[in-house]
Amino acid sequence: MPPDSAVTASTATSAAVSAETSVPGAAPLAALGVEQAEAALVEHYTRLVRLAYLVLPPSLGRNRRVLTAHALVQRSLPRGRTAARSAIPAQSRAAGTDGGTGAGTGGGTNGGTDGGTATGAGRNPGYAYVRERVLRQALDAGRPLRRLARPRLAQLPPPLPRVWGLRLFPRSGGADELALDQRLSGLSGPARAAFALRGLELLTDKEVRRLLHAAGAVDTETALAEAADAAERRIGTADPVELLRSPEFDPCSLQARPTDLMRRRQYGRAALAAAAALLVCGTLLGLPGGWGPDDDADAPYGHNAAVAAALDPARVRRIAPAAWQTSARTDFSVWPARGPLAEDHALLRRALTAWAAPGASVHISATPATPSGPPMGSPQLLYAGTVDAARVVLFHDGLRVVRYAEPATGGEEVAALDFARVDGAGTAVAGALVVGRSDGDVRYLTAPWVRSASVRDLLDPAKPARPLRRDADGVTAPLASPAMAQDCRSWDTLSVRDGSDGDDSSDSSDSENGATERLLTDLGELTPARLTSGPPSAPGDVTSPADRAAWARTACLLPAMRSHGVRSVNSWPYARQPLPESNGTATWLCTRADTWRGTGSRVLAQFQAPARTAAPGAVAARAEDTPACGARESRVLAGVLWKSRGGTWYVLAAGSGRLGSVQVSGGVRGSAPGSLLAVRAREGVQAELYGETPDGTRVDALR
């Protein structure tokens, strides 16, 4: 866009920067009011709960640690109206900033700016007091119970908060977070506290020593030495202190899973039919042989023959390496079993057991509307091997792809289990799976029909694709994952060329002599999303310079599709509009993300004004779970409030298909025949858009 022109649309961006520095020691102060302590607790609740969660003993289990951490913080207020202030100062946090701009039409247009500031604990005696109370209780919870001694309150299960029928635990991280969690479990309680205070609170060793002593810790020097040793030893290439800030250790960002539903159902039936159960048990005990030892009694669902067979590593389905060449379909069902650990039955058994009955130490994640229950029979083995710092197993059961991961150096009791729905997959979307993530990079396992793989940066359309090395099993070298990036300076996609003979009807593609180039991008899930361009009735792969140039200004909008179960994203340039005052020609695009589950699609209407750089387009409108811009309904209408180089404001609108007219009302009125409209307006004006087809049918703007 010309330097003195401006576009505002219904997007908002914000940034927040915070820094924490420790404050020199302070002498004990006078009493403070309970209102001041309560205000500090409410303001820094997330921070205090994370600290308590890290200090609590891992032996409690993740579900009880989450509930106990919240309970400790909530009961850390002084009992009376006043309480003695802590001798340990609270750290200070530099002011951060938030800012954003936004305007647009989703049926209306507007303009404006907003901003704000965020401040931290500062020299806050209320926060220092609550933090000391939280730390003391968390350390008390890790001390062993003594015989004939009255237990401390923190050593008992918390009465509140109480959750029935659900297990709560923080969101799953990667292999680095799993390794850090295992390392922290080997430290003492004071050492974990010192590690957290140095890493999260940024206190000096002197301040940590004083705070640990005030919280009742005895050997503070040993605790500091253990914490320093744990912080200095890197995990792969990751800094352990930086990993503390990941969602893996955030007990305020939780996932919920049911408790053992079968056991709850059995308990309910037993309560309703206690007398009948006693009679049956007595009869069984009187039978010859009685209830003898059963080797499968301790196995998950061990008395169910069908499930027991599904958990047998020797019975997992293994597809022949060349089966895809003669198969009538090319999807995940014809992927062969690959990987150096494909014959490791102990690893496969652990993976299948975790899938059938995950324990409290198994981190579970699933794409939306993807069931996470046990396998429906013997699953198909796709891959088993070591990827970076984890042992990884990939299964396919016809509906889902399941990835099991555990640390490569011991620690089988800590694992991760990820589920992604892949039913109805065809050649175009079954070209790769995410096999591992580490240090901001991602590795893919490519399909057996993929001839070559390369990396293409969407933000640099003129740059040729870079070759990407693969091993004999089809696992790629690491490439930067845009799903894990904090900015949008580049957007690396996986470019694959395959030699399949075509595709099924569920995935249209522009096959050229069996060597089609397809772009796949990581959106934070097991299955990368396919990128296409063109009208919804016939989307094609991103191969032409014009398509790549349009995607260069669209890629930075893809974070809106992350972790949403996205199957494919199509970007369709549905209109080109000459701008008033000879300001060039703008392009209108409709970007639609379709999901594996069919519902929950996300649609963005973009306005791309002429620009010297590949600046992101302005989002004029957005909608969710709508047929707009899709195969069922390709019509779309959107508008923006735009400023020309000469300083004049206009309401611009464009629609797809055959519109008889476009009209604007509200703060500005006007109409134009056809599908394009440009009307003079004032800055900040709000307006409503709608169109009409030649037969008089009203078409509302996307919203």
Side-chain angles (χ1 to χ4, degrees):
M1 179 180 294
D4 56 347
S5 63
V7 176
T8 59
S10 62
T11 55
T13 60
S14 63
V17 178
S18 64
E20 298 185 357
T21 57
S22 56
V23 178
L29 301 175
L32 59 90
V34 66
E35 293 84 3
Q36 188 175 358
E38 181 181 17
L41 186 150
V42 172
E43 181 181 2
H44 305 290
Y45 183 82
T46 302
R47 187 168 159 187
L48 292 166
V49 173
R50 186 189 288 258
L51 176 63
Y53 180 83
L54 290 169
V55 178
L56 284 170
S59 59
L60 293 178
R62 301 177 71 216
N63 178 68
R64 184 174 168 187
R65 280 173 70 193
V66 167
L67 297 179
T68 303
H70 284 271
L72 297 185
V73 175
Q74 293 176 15
R75 63 190 184 202
S76 294
L77 292 177
R79 297 183 181 277
R81 299 300 300 173
T82 61
R85 292 188 176 184
S86 169
I88 309 301
Q91 68 182 135
S92 67
R93 176 183 295 177
T97 61
D98 287 290
T101 62
T105 62
T109 60
N110 54 61
T113 62
D114 56 59
T117 62
T119 61
R123 192 181 287 272
N124 188 337
Y127 174 75
Y129 172 81
V130 175
R131 180 179 62 188
E132 180 182 323
R133 293 260 300 182
V134 169
L135 190 61
R136 178 183 294 274
Q137 294 180 85
L139 292 174
D140 286 345
R143 297 188 175 99
L145 290 171
R146 298 180 180 178
R147 296 184 61 186
L148 304 180
R150 181 179 179 182
R152 302 180 184 226
L153 181 62
Q155 294 175 300
L156 301 175
L160 291 174
R162 178 71 64 180
V163 178
W164 297 95
L166 288 174
R167 291 186 295 120
L168 302 177
F169 43 86
R171 294 185 175 275
S172 302
D176 294 341
E177 286 82 359
L178 290 177
L180 177 59
D181 189 52
Q182 184 182 4
R183 180 180 295 180
L184 292 178
S185 66
L187 301 180
S188 64
R192 288 193 302 273
F195 187 87
L197 292 172
R198 294 176 60 185
L200 296 179
E201 298 292 292
L202 301 183
L203 299 183
T204 64
D205 286 354
K206 180 179 179 181
E207 292 167 342
V208 171
R209 190 180 297 109
R210 292 169 57 199
L211 183 51
L212 289 178
H213 180 74
V218 178
D219 192 355
T220 57
E221 294 299 330
T222 301
L224 279 169
E226 293 181 18
D229 179 68
E232 291 172 358
R233 290 185 291 116
R234 301 183 71 84
I235 299 176
T237 59
D239 184 357
V241 175
E242 292 297 326
L243 293 176
L244 281 181
R245 298 177 174 86
S246 71
E248 171 78 14
F249 304 102
D250 183 7
C252 292
S253 178
L254 301 173
Q255 295 186 101
R257 291 293 182 272
T259 55
D260 193 327
L261 300 178
M262 295 185 66
R263 182 175 299 176
R264 285 164 51 186
R265 181 180 299 176
Q266 291 170 356
Y267 286 167
R269 291 175 178 174
L272 294 175
L278 289 174
L279 178 61
V280 171
C281 290
T283 304
L284 292 176
L285 287 173
L287 293 175
W291 282 347
D294 186 355
D295 294 338
D296 292 334
D298 295 330
Y301 308 99
H303 295 292
N304 187 315
V307 176
L311 301 184
D312 186 355
R315 298 191 182 185
V316 296
R317 293 184 292 112
R318 300 169 185 263
I319 306 301
W324 66 272
Q325 298 178 2
T326 56
S327 174
R329 53 192 295 181
T330 48
D331 56 16
F332 296 109
S333 67
V334 294
W335 277 32
R338 291 175 284 177
L341 301 180
E343 301 299 332
D344 188 339
H345 282 207
L347 172 62
L348 298 182
R349 185 178 297 279
R350 289 195 300 271
L352 291 168
T353 302
W355 184 359
S361 61
V362 178
H363 307 237
I364 300 177
S365 68
T367 56
T370 302
S372 58
M376 301 172 291
S378 298
Q380 172 191 351
L381 177 63
L382 302 181
Y383 178 83
T386 301
V387 180
D388 296 326
R391 287 188 290 264
V392 176
V393 182
L394 284 173
F395 293 112
H396 176 242
D397 69 351
L399 172 68
R400 303 163 294 177
V401 168
V402 182
R403 181 181 62 188
Y404 169 84
E406 65 181 29
T409 56
E412 291 87 356
E413 68 280 358
V414 180
L417 203 60
D418 303 312
F419 295 84
R421 186 170 173 175
V422 294
D423 53 314
T427 307
V429 291
L433 288 173
V434 172
V435 72
R437 289 190 179 88
S438 179
D439 300 329
D441 293 334
V442 60
R443 291 179 185 263
Y444 295 97
L445 175 66
T446 55
W449 53 80
V450 171
R451 290 182 177 178
S452 63
S454 55
V455 181
R456 188 177 293 278
D457 185 0
L458 283 184
L459 300 189
D460 193 352
K463 186 177 180 180
R466 311 189 305 270
L468 182 63
R469 181 179 54 83
R470 296 186 297 159
D471 64 16
D473 294 315
V475 177
T476 69
L479 64 150
S481 169
M484 303 174 67
Q486 301 299 319
D487 51 33
C488 193
R489 298 179 182 178
S490 65
W491 195 282
D492 284 348
T493 59
L494 175 66
S495 173
V496 296
R497 291 183 180 273
D498 62 65
S500 61
D501 294 329
D503 200 356
D504 58 20
S505 59
S506 63
D507 294 294
S508 61
S509 63
D510 297 335
S511 180
E512 296 178 1
N513 300 323
T516 302
E517 178 188 13
R518 297 190 177 95
L519 294 186
L520 304 173
T521 187
D522 180 23
L523 293 181
E525 297 170 335
L526 274 180
T527 53
R530 180 194 178 196
L531 303 182
T532 59
S533 293
S537 59
D541 290 294
V542 185
T543 55
S544 70
D547 291 341
R548 290 172 182 164
W551 265 109
R553 302 185 63 182
T554 302
C556 290
L557 303 178
L558 284 174
M561 319 309 190
R562 285 176 181 167
S563 302
H564 194 60
V566 174
R567 174 190 180 108
S568 62
V569 184
N570 183 58
S571 188
W572 170 37
Y574 68 87
R576 289 177 59 82
Q577 182 176 24
L579 296 176
E581 303 179 15
S582 300
N583 278 203
T585 301
T587 302
W588 292 84
L589 295 96
C590 192
T591 304
R592 177 184 176 88
D594 286 316
T595 66
W596 286 97
R597 61 191 183 276
T599 59
S601 60
R602 290 184 174 177
V603 178
L604 302 176
Q606 289 184 65
F607 175 79
Q608 293 185 357
R612 297 189 182 94
T613 61
V619 177
R622 65 184 70 216
E624 187 166 345
D625 207 8
T626 174
C629 294
R632 293 178 55 190
E633 176 56 72
S634 61
R635 287 186 302 195
V636 61
L637 173 64
V640 293
L641 187 62
W642 173 81
K643 182 181 179 181
S644 70
R645 289 194 298 264
T648 305
W649 288 89
Y650 291 86
V651 170
L652 304 180
S656 64
R658 297 180 178 178
L659 288 181
S661 64
V662 179
Q663 302 183 40
V664 59
S665 60
V668 60
R669 293 182 176 275
S671 64
S675 58
L676 302 176
L677 176 139
V679 178
R680 285 177 178 265
R682 301 184 308 277
E683 180 180 3
V685 69
Q686 297 192 10
E688 294 291 329
L689 287 173
Y690 66 93
E692 289 186 354
T693 62
D695 61 4
T697 302
R698 180 184 173 103
V699 178
D700 291 320
L702 184 69
R703 65 182 69 193

